[in-house]
Amino acid sequence: MSSKTVERVDHVVIRFAGDSGDGMQLTGDRFTAQSAAQGNDLATLPNYPAEIRAPQGTIAGVSSFQVQFADHDVNTPGDAPDVLVAMNPAALAASVSDLPRGAIVIADSDEFTPRNLTKAGYTGDPLDDGSLDSYQVYAFPMTSLTVEALSSFALTKKEAVRAKNMFALGVVSWLYSTPTEPTESFIRTKFGRKPEIMNANLAALEAGWSYGETAEIFAVSYEVAPAATPAGTYRNITGNMATAYGLLAGAHRTGLPLVLGSYPITPASDILHHLSELKRFGVKTLQVEDEIAGITTAIGASYGGAMGVTTTSGPGLALKTEAMGLAVMLELPLVIVNVQRGGPSTGLPTKTEQADLLQALYGRNGEAPIPVLAARSPNDCFDAAVEAIRIATTYRTPVLLLTDGYLANGSEPWRIPDLDSLPDMPVEFASGPNAVDADGKPVFRPYLRDPETLARPWAIPGVPGLAHRIGGLEKADVTGMVSYDPDNHDRMIRLRQAKVERIPVPDLEVDDPTGTAETLVIGWGSTYGPISTGAQEARRDGVEVAHAHLRHLNPLPANAGDVLRRYRRVLVPEMNLGQLTVLLRSRYLVDAVGFNRVRGLPFTSTEIAEAITKFAQEGTL
Amino acid sequence: MSTTNLHLDPTGRRPGLFGVPTLPEGSPKLTKKDFTSTAEVRWCPGCGDYAILAAFQSFLPELGVPRDNIVCVSGIGCSSRLPYYLDTYGMHSIHGRATAIATGLATTRPDLSVWVVTGDGDALSIGGNHLIHAIRRNVNMTILLFNNRIYGLTKGQYSPTSEQGKITKSSPMGTVDLPFNPVSLALGAEATFVARTVDSDRALLTSILRQAAAHRGTALIEIYQNCPIFNNGAYELLKDRDESAARLLRLEHGKPVRSGSRGVVRDGDGGLRIVDLDELGPDAESRLVVHDAHAADPSLAFALSRLESPEMAGVPVGVFRSVSRPAYDDLVRDQIAVAVDAAGGPATRDDLAALLAGNDTWTVG
């Protein structure tokens, strides 16, 4: 019935921000599902405080969720919000500097009380002191409108107020013409056993939509057309869920039961939560006493013939170090997932960073090579986890999978894979003697290697005739007996190294549209989105730049050196002080230059584009 | 949850071995030799470990299970070399972590008889956390804790069971640390089976191994073990025939706790004390504490564990506590079984596909 105009836009960035008790993560997540359901491509960035309930109304307590949705392929949650939903003054204060001129600000005016303004550091009321004049501000009393809309329900005031996030979601859903059905069915499922709460939330959502439609405040509404995405069935997925499902699917393809040993740690705990829900798939999750027990129970499980996995974040990885060395020595399959966060020490537990690369590659005593791979996007966590299990089982080695806080909590549409499209990775346990001794008697040699993969037999307890002892002491080549022989040690060190180095990994692909770029920008892990988008932006400004992105950090792709040496200038953006730069420079003797930001936040594509442009033109940053 | 009576034995077998295959009917009986590996034993001459190894190897055939279904996991230290000498599956792992590795293994494989060999440094210092948590969870495994009250492999530093004031390489003026009492510690950690024995008492050690193997859940056996090089004679008083008769309080379920001419009575403060039977008068026997290893309340077992003192005036040995409680690994497997049952059977490929798809999908093209 609305006579207002609907304007078509190609992409929108919305940030929902409020107090950590305001339900902003849920609101953002629901809006994401709605926009995904209408076929937009999207990427999200949740951002919340480490404290579960920071002091109410303060900037420290602001929780936000940013989503970019578009009619085309997007790889980042967007640099600057086109729309800020601010549920209180602190949410406004925390985000206002990120807003470009002309951005829309939707604020709950009920919350802009003198007390809340003071808590947020305001001396006046920004809603009417003119300080927001360069934005389109829509302030209305969301809390009281919600309470009023729910007046017929048997709810306490507090319960009614809690539904204001659904009111806000209704307003924004109307403003961007996104269908609310996915949220309605979500509310029906979530509150099915509490009909009053269920109906109140549905009513608040409906009231918000109607308010947008009928109140004479918004001059126009918008719509974003579906993106042209490859055919298939899609869902929205976070990196941590994709990791959990990838581990399960990988184990499924090997035919092995999955056993997780884990200790809760932000931002990795969701993987433990997701896998704990999968008991009917035979998944055993052991929440144990510490990080060391997490990895050692997983080693015990792998020794017993299961797919042992442990999940953690940086500080936990440090604690697992010695046991990772044991797994190298035992040559048993094991997957270690490190969801990187800001460090060192406790650092920034809820923020993202990629400063554990050198720890992953080298952080163990002795020569202890471990294959390392890194996921590039939330849904890539699935494929990377499958690949980690494939390498672990094929080569009988621990494998380190790096993701980070941005991937872990961020989400994007995921084309649900056909299980048959996943690699086949059958596992065979040793079943009998594999050699003969000097007298010609059949014997079992636990460290006799497959000539191609250099993997040793996976000989699990319970198999008759194969009883043998393994351990952390140096093993004699072939027999696996304890050996202090100098030549044997040198040989075993080189064999373990060669086993990892010989793992075939796909060649590094280069995105170089003109084929004549002289500047290469290369990254790894979660910077894929901002770097690829930043490179596109730079190209639009006439800068020729090639982009390559590493998934395998150990071993590196065989063609990596050739690729790097093809370019006059090499730029390496990283959320650390230059760890990949160090690796590339030392390994390939190229003059790679780092572009480094360690702010606990992903790069923006704009800052990447600016760095590329300057570097391509001037050769320095 | 459908926890079946895991501690009851419908087949007459040892509950600790439920799920572990038996030797095929008619197969030759195993002997000590079958459990002896070809590795050269490299403990110091006179080490108490030899006696424990021999008793252990002699006992294992009794289990009646294939040696391929026995796994011995150890940490680091002199005692932790034991798996190399045992011709079963084995893992000599890293310092302190054997109980955690064994937890992962036992939870994964109900068909294995899992043993952990550890020492006072390995189990109580660097591995203390894993030990108490394995015990509280009641993972189905037997832990042999060799307690020689010294660090041997690193050549003679004090351990968490060294007596206070002990002069060692790292404590030239004597230790200031108060030692742990491993039995008290285990009881505090909700142990379901705790025993103590002495390396040289083969009959007692064998009897305790038998009871521990039958126990479903974590069984902790503290074994007083002599280190002839760095702490020689630590338990000499308990090995001398006359002295030991007077000092060892041999715990037997349902029997009064006594040793020679002395016995154990309750003191007024909820604890126990050792008295000369003469002091108790004519009805001395009836005033002695009667051991109840199966009591639900661990207080008596704990009070008995506190009788141990540096002077070794009265040292209880035998089984302090043996009670039934569902084992962690069984409960973990039970939950899987319940979830699978509730879903109508094991997950299929289609179930996995449905899981990946979730509830919120959309289709393009």
Side-chain angles (χ1 to χ4, degrees):
Chain A
M1 64 152 274
S2 172
S3 59
K4 288 165 190 156
T5 47
V6 178
E7 199 176 292
R8 181 163 279 213
V9 287
D10 66 353
H11 76 279
V12 178
V13 177
I14 300 182
R15 183 182 296 174
F16 296 92
D19 201 60
S20 30
D22 284 343
M24 291 297 99
Q25 300 303 321
L26 176 73
T27 311
D29 186 58
R30 287 297 92 209
F31 186 84
T32 302
Q34 293 178 188
S35 130
Q38 70 172 359
N40 301 133
D41 194 26
L42 55 89
T44 70
L45 175 65
N47 195 349
Y48 48 86
E51 297 78 13
I52 300 304
R53 289 281 183 273
Q56 211 177 1
T58 62
I59 292 179
V62 172
S63 169
S64 71
F65 188 104
Q66 184 166 315
V67 52
Q68 171 164 222
F69 58 110
D71 66 2
H72 56 273
D73 189 26
V74 290
N75 292 315
T76 77
D79 292 358
D82 301 306
V83 183
L84 172 69
V85 177
M87 302 302 284
N88 68 5
L92 178 66
S95 289
V96 72
S97 62
D98 295 336
L99 299 178
R101 284 173 168 278
I104 293 172
V105 175
I106 297 171
D108 180 1
S109 55
D110 284 333
E111 288 293 315
F112 283 65
T113 61
R115 189 177 143 78
N116 282 348
L117 287 164
T118 306
K119 277 198 221 167
Y122 284 111
T123 49
D125 185 348
L127 296 181
D128 48 42
D129 68 3
S131 63
L132 299 177
D133 281 356
S134 54
Y135 309 113
Q136 309 173 53
V137 180
Y138 302 101
F140 42 92
M142 264 188 257
T143 303
S144 37
L145 285 167
T146 306
V147 172
E148 193 181 312
L150 304 184
S151 57
S152 63
F153 291 88
L155 296 176
T156 62
K157 168 117 190 273
K158 199 174 163 194
E159 284 170 332
V161 167
R162 287 188 63 171
K164 69 183 172 185
N165 62 334
M166 287 298 111
F167 185 93
L169 178 60
V171 173
V172 177
S173 302
W174 173 81
L175 188 60
Y176 288 96
S177 318
T178 60
T180 54
E181 285 78 14
T183 300
E184 290 163 26
S185 67
F186 170 86
I187 291 172
R188 288 195 186 95
T189 309
K190 185 173 167 71
F191 299 114
R193 288 196 202 142
K194 298 176 187 163
E196 199 70 4
I197 303 282
M198 174 182 84
N199 289 325
N201 275 285
L202 289 170
L205 181 67
E206 167 74 27
W209 179 284
S210 304
Y211 184 79
E213 195 170 46
T214 55
E216 298 289 325
I217 33 175
F218 296 104
V220 289
S221 67
Y222 305 87
E223 69 177 6
V224 177
T229 42
T233 303
Y234 287 77
R235 65 171 289 169
N236 197 48
I237 196 161
T238 64
N240 272 345
M241 182 177 265
T243 302
Y245 286 4
L247 293 169
L248 175 65
H252 169 78
R253 294 300 276 183
T254 61
L256 301 172
L258 188 67
V259 177
L260 174 74
S262 188
Y263 186 78
I265 185 168
T266 304
S269 304
D270 276 340
I271 304 175
L272 166 64
H273 304 160
H274 292 312
L275 289 174
S276 300
E277 295 281 345
L278 301 180
K279 294 191 188 347
R280 78 146 305 198
F281 290 86
V283 177
K284 293 185 179 127
T285 51
L286 283 56
Q287 183 187 310
V288 287
E289 59 273 18
D290 60 23
E291 295 282 358
I292 297 170
I295 186 170
T296 47
T297 49
I299 289 173
S302 286
Y303 176 54
M307 184 61 241
V309 174
T310 189
T311 49
T312 190
S313 185
L317 189 71
L319 287 164
K320 294 180 195 298
T321 296
E322 188 199 12
M324 286 164 59
L326 175 67
V328 167
M329 211 63 159
L330 299 179
E331 302 194 44
L332 285 171
L334 177 73
V335 171
I336 304 121
V337 180
N338 176 18
V339 185
Q340 299 166 96
R341 66 188 216 187
S345 186
T346 310
L348 300 172
T350 59
K351 308 298 178 195
T352 198
E353 202 161 286
Q354 47 182 182
D356 297 347
L357 175 60
L358 295 182
Q359 182 188 11
L361 289 168
Y362 302 118
R364 290 168 289 283
N365 63 307
E367 297 285 354
I370 289 185
V372 177
L373 56 162
R376 62 167 56 175
S377 69
N379 70 36
D380 185 47
C381 291
F382 179 87
D383 295 323
V386 172
E387 177 66 357
I389 287 189
R390 190 188 70 79
I391 293 175
T393 51
T394 308
Y395 298 91
R396 312 282 150 78
T397 176
V399 175
L400 237 161
L401 170 60
L402 296 174
T403 71
D404 61 31
Y406 169 46
L407 299 182
N409 296 315
S411 66
E412 63 178 347
W414 178 46
R415 186 158 63 137
I416 299 156
D418 177 358
L419 286 172
D420 294 333
S421 71
L422 300 180
D424 216 8
M425 30 206 217
V427 166
E428 251 182 72
F429 296 127
S431 58
N434 58 355
V436 287
D437 67 9
D439 306 326
K441 196 178 123 212
V443 287
F444 178 63
R445 302 291 193 212
Y447 277 74
L448 182 65
R449 294 169 192 280
D450 178 289
E452 192 192 331
T453 60
L454 296 184
R456 77 176 190 92
W458 191 355
I460 65 171
V463 180
L466 304 192
H468 64 284
R469 274 64 60 192
I470 56 176
L473 284 172
E474 181 60 285
K475 296 285 160 284
D477 191 14
V478 181
T479 66
M481 304 289 273
V482 174
S483 170
Y484 292 92
D485 177 66
D487 291 333
N488 176 76
H489 180 53
D490 188 80
R491 185 160 63 250
M492 291 299 278
I493 291 277
R494 290 172 196 280
L495 275 169
R496 288 187 289 261
Q497 186 71 25
K499 181 173 82 164
V500 172
E501 279 175 4
R502 281 165 53 164
I503 295 170
V505 304
D507 268 352
L508 185 59
E509 287 177 23
V510 185
D511 173 31
D512 185 0
T514 60
T516 54
E518 293 191 343
T519 301
L520 173 73
V521 56
I522 183 167
W524 65 279
S526 78
T527 52
Y528 175 78
I531 295 178
S532 58
T533 309
Q536 284 164 17
E537 289 169 17
R539 286 173 197 143
R540 279 203 288 276
D541 293 340
V543 177
E544 281 196 298
V545 63
H547 173 209
H549 215 76
L550 288 164
R551 154 177 286 200
H552 291 270
L553 282 314
N554 192 34
L556 287 158
N559 70 334
D562 291 341
V563 167
L564 290 163
R565 284 186 282 262
R566 277 212 300 273
Y567 294 89
R568 194 155 68 91
R569 289 172 178 164
V570 176
L571 182 66
V572 190
E574 290 182 89
M575 296 184 286
N576 60 40
L577 291 184
Q579 301 194 6
L580 179 64
T581 312
V582 165
L583 186 66
L584 297 180
R585 291 177 71 99
S586 70
R587 183 73 180 268
Y588 301 111
L589 294 175
V590 293
D591 188 16
V593 174
F595 174 53
N596 307 99
R597 292 283 183 276
V598 205
R599 303 174 59 239
L601 293 168
F603 282 107
T604 66
S605 55
T606 309
E607 65 188 337
I608 296 277
E610 286 169 2
I612 289 172
T613 303
K614 182 159 196 287
F615 184 69
Q617 288 165 355
E618 301 171 23
T620 62
L621 286 174
Chain B
M1 190 190 320
S2 73
T3 46
T4 45
N5 281 321
L6 301 163
H7 48 284
L8 295 182
D9 185 348
T11 62
R13 293 193 66 211
R14 306 159 193 264
L17 295 175
F18 282 2
V20 183
T22 46
L23 275 172
E25 196 104 10
S27 55
K29 269 193 84 135
L30 296 175
T31 63
K32 181 187 176 204
K33 193 160 169 283
D34 293 305
F35 287 94
T36 306
S37 80
T38 55
E40 182 195 354
V41 183
R42 289 194 187 170
W43 287 313
C44 305
C47 178
D49 292 0
Y50 283 97
I52 304 171
L53 174 66
F56 191 32
Q57 286 168 327
S58 301
F59 161 74
L60 285 172
E62 241 191 57
L63 294 178
V65 308
R67 76 200 160 116
D68 300 294
N69 289 79
I70 295 171
V71 184
C72 186
V73 183
S74 66
I76 292 293
C78 295
S79 59
S80 288
R81 298 298 178 98
L82 189 141
Y84 290 122
Y85 310 137
L86 204 62
D87 199 2
T88 65
Y89 283 87
M91 187 194 293
H92 175 218
S93 73
I94 47 177
H95 209 10
R97 319 302 172 198
T99 38
I101 291 171
T103 296
L105 181 63
T107 308
T108 305
R109 295 285 303 273
D111 61 327
L112 302 176
S113 171
V114 179
W115 298 76
V116 167
V117 171
T118 182
D120 41 316
D122 193 56
L124 300 170
S125 226
I126 192 166
N129 200 27
H130 308 305
L131 180 78
I132 57 174
H133 288 277
I135 289 173
R136 81 166 164 95
R137 291 190 185 106
N138 203 31
V139 184
N140 195 29
M141 62 167 96
T142 302
I143 303 170
L144 311 187
L145 196 171
F146 294 23
N147 183 4
N148 57 15
R149 299 184 171 173
I150 198 77
Y151 280 90
L153 201 60
T154 51
K155 302 194 196 305
Q157 301 82 11
Y158 59 94
S159 91
T161 54
S162 294
E163 59 278 18
Q164 203 167 28
K166 190 178 189 67
I167 308 270
T168 72
K169 277 186 186 156
S170 54
S171 56
M173 293 177 68
T175 64
V176 295
D177 298 32
L178 188 76
F180 268 139
N181 175 326
V183 173
S184 301
L185 182 76
L187 289 167
E190 308 291 350
T192 53
F193 186 103
V194 195
R196 177 189 287 147
T197 180
V198 184
D199 55 7
S200 51
D201 190 339
R202 182 159 179 158
L204 181 60
L205 175 55
T206 305
S207 146
I208 288 176
L209 287 171
R210 191 173 294 130
Q211 295 173 71
H215 179 74
R216 193 154 193 90
T218 303
L220 178 85
I221 307 175
E222 181 191 17
I223 306 170
Y224 284 165
Q225 173 246 324
N226 190 47
C227 172
I229 308 298
F230 297 108
N231 199 17
N232 195 25
Y235 302 109
E236 208 48 41
L237 286 173
L238 306 181
K239 297 190 177 192
D240 176 88
R241 179 193 291 249
D242 296 333
E243 290 287 351
S244 71
R247 293 167 187 268
L248 287 181
L249 297 160
R250 293 180 180 273
L251 301 176
E252 287 183 66
H253 177 72
K255 300 269 177 65
V257 182
R258 55 176 296 175
S259 160
S261 61
R262 296 182 309 149
V264 173
V265 294
R266 295 186 189 277
D267 68 14
D269 300 321
L272 302 175
R273 70 192 159 92
I274 302 169
V275 294
D276 283 331
L277 296 180
D278 298 347
E279 290 175 29
L280 296 177
D283 58 344
E285 279 291 323
S286 66
R287 293 179 61 188
L288 294 180
V289 163
V290 174
H291 184 42
D292 181 1
H294 308 316
D297 185 309
S299 302
L300 174 64
F302 188 79
L304 285 167
S305 78
R306 305 313 292 169
L307 290 174
E308 202 254 11
S309 67
E311 300 75 38
M312 298 186 184
V315 179
V317 293
V319 177
F320 286 74
R321 178 169 168 80
S322 172
V323 297
S324 289
R325 191 172 83 224
Y328 172 86
D329 41 319
D330 288 324
L331 295 174
V332 169
R333 287 186 290 264
D334 269 12
Q335 285 196 340
I336 304 270
V338 167
V340 168
D341 271 359
T348 63
R349 189 187 163 289
D350 288 347
D351 293 324
L352 180 56
L355 173 79
L356 299 189
N359 301 319
D360 249 343
T361 59
W362 67 96
T363 303
V364 174

